Amino acid sequence: MEPGNNTRISEFLLLVLSEEEELQPLIFGLFLSMYLITVFGNLLIILVISSDSHLHTPMYFFLSNLSFVDICFTSTTIPKMLWDIQNKSKGITYGGCISQIYFYILFAGLDDILLSVMAYDRYVAICHPLHYTVIMSPRLCGLLVLISWVLNALISLLHSLMVLRLSFYPLVQIPHFFCELSQVVQLASSDIFLKNIVMYFAAVLVGGGPFAGILYSYSKIVSCICKITSAQGKYKAFSTCVSHLSVVFLFYFTALGVFLSSGTTYTSHSSTVASVMYTVVTPMLNPFIYSLRNRDIKEGLKRLYWMPSIKDQLY
């Protein structure tokens, strides 16, 4: 293949999850089901929080934002993959690939920072309960979410602009089912040294910073819980963190798998599984984790079901 610049390339080719024709309907049905469960589950969380005045607190404000981001995050990759399976297509336009990279980084970064903000919220609630409403004011909560959006939008834009400056061969196949940043960069025909430095620095900044914040918040939370004398008080304090901790472990475990498997140019079964877990399974499980492990959400679901306007629509 002759080297070419990025003005000549019109589309990239994406990898399909399986080349076997008889498995395509099964894969399509499986991912369509997971996508619909993800969208419905997270929309239900948003609806419960917005309709129940008991849940109009900072913790659930951040949770509703996390649910919205999860819907957008999954919608960045899965609808395109389902379209390709249905139409037996493997191509994605150059502009479509850049857009997918931008929104994938944007919503993944938002997930990361929101989890860190939610950890800080738990820290204030447990360690400074008397000053909680003063510290976690509506203004601060809105400001934290706004900063998260602006910061991640700028980082995503930086990555996208740097990809636009890369040159590619006329025919490029991305060894993934979506345009993953590191895979696209590795396939460039031009020098990628600077881009690799920026990419890994941003990964450490956006991934390591919030993770360090989560570790710090929970170190303080554990210290405060240990000072509580009664076993019942310790259990009550810790129980408010269980749902968030479960989501944090699931998110970072799968994110670590994606990060470790993204350094190779050629895909493997393990990297595909890690990406599926990160982009589909984690956002799908989040509503279940918060609804099954959180008493306030379960009570909110009951109140939502028994609302007259909802019952009239159901029956």
Side-chain angles (χ1 to χ4, degrees), residues 9-264:
I9 189 169
S10 59
E11 70 172 8
F12 295 96
L13 296 179
L14 296 173
L15 179 75
V16 293
L17 292 179
S18 175
E19 295 288 351
E20 298 182 29
E21 189 68 27
E22 59 272 15
L23 291 180
Q24 299 307 307
L26 176 62
I27 294 173
F28 180 85
L30 177 63
F31 277 87
L32 178 61
S33 301
M34 289 193 294
Y35 178 67
L36 292 177
I37 291 172
T38 300
V39 172
F40 177 76
N42 283 287
L43 280 177
L44 187 60
I45 293 292
I46 295 172
L47 179 61
V48 169
I49 293 173
S50 61
S51 63
D52 193 335
S53 60
H54 297 87
L55 301 178
H56 291 175
T57 62
M59 174 183 174
Y60 296 109
F61 170 71
F62 295 131
L63 176 58
S64 62
N65 277 273
L66 182 68
S67 295
F68 173 74
V69 169
D70 279 341
I71 294 173
C72 297
F73 181 49
T74 308
S75 299
T76 302
T77 57
I78 302 305
K80 169 60 179 171
M81 188 189 73
L82 294 174
W83 172 268
D84 289 344
I85 294 175
Q86 186 68 17
N87 293 276
K88 297 180 174 58
S89 170
K90 296 183 180 180
I92 182 170
T93 63
Y94 180 77
C97 187
I98 299 298
S99 299
Q100 198 173 64
I101 289 174
Y102 176 84
F103 287 110
Y104 182 86
I105 297 173
L106 171 64
F107 295 121
L110 281 168
D111 256 343
D112 195 14
I113 294 182
L114 283 174
L115 287 175
S116 179
V117 171
M118 293 171 75
Y120 175 73
D121 171 78
R122 292 299 82 207
Y123 156 70
V124 176
I126 294 173
C127 299
H128 304 283
L130 298 179
H131 302 93
Y132 178 72
T133 55
V134 177
I135 297 174
M136 301 303 296
S137 63
R139 180 179 179 181
L140 177 63
C141 294
L143 186 61
L144 288 173
V145 172
L146 178 62
I147 292 174
S148 301
W149 276 90
V150 172
L151 178 62
N152 281 283
L154 292 175
I155 293 174
S156 302
L157 182 62
L158 173 63
H159 282 302
S160 301
L161 291 176
M162 293 197 71
V163 173
L164 283 171
R165 295 177 60 85
L166 297 177
S167 300
F168 295 93
Y169 294 105
L171 183 62
V172 177
Q173 182 173 26
I174 301 171
H176 227 305
F177 64 91
F178 66 95
C179 287
E180 202 270 331
L181 175 64
S182 61
Q183 299 286 353
V184 174
V185 170
Q186 295 297 326
L187 294 170
S189 60
S190 55
D191 181 52
I192 60 172
F193 177 73
L194 178 61
K195 174 57 185 168
N196 277 332
I197 292 177
V198 173
M199 183 170 62
Y200 288 108
F201 176 78
V204 171
L205 177 66
V206 178
F211 184 66
I214 292 173
L215 290 179
Y216 176 80
S217 295
Y218 274 103
S219 67
K220 292 294 185 180
I221 289 172
V222 171
S223 177
C224 290
I225 291 177
C226 290
K227 295 177 182 177
I228 300 175
T229 55
S230 67
Q232 185 179 3
K234 290 181 179 180
Y235 174 79
K236 185 177 180 180
F238 181 74
S239 63
T240 62
C241 305
V242 173
S243 298
H244 179 257
L245 272 175
S246 302
V247 173
V248 167
F249 279 123
L250 184 62
F251 178 84
Y252 280 102
F253 178 76
T254 54
L256 180 63
V258 172
F259 181 77
L260 294 177
S261 62
S262 65
T264 57

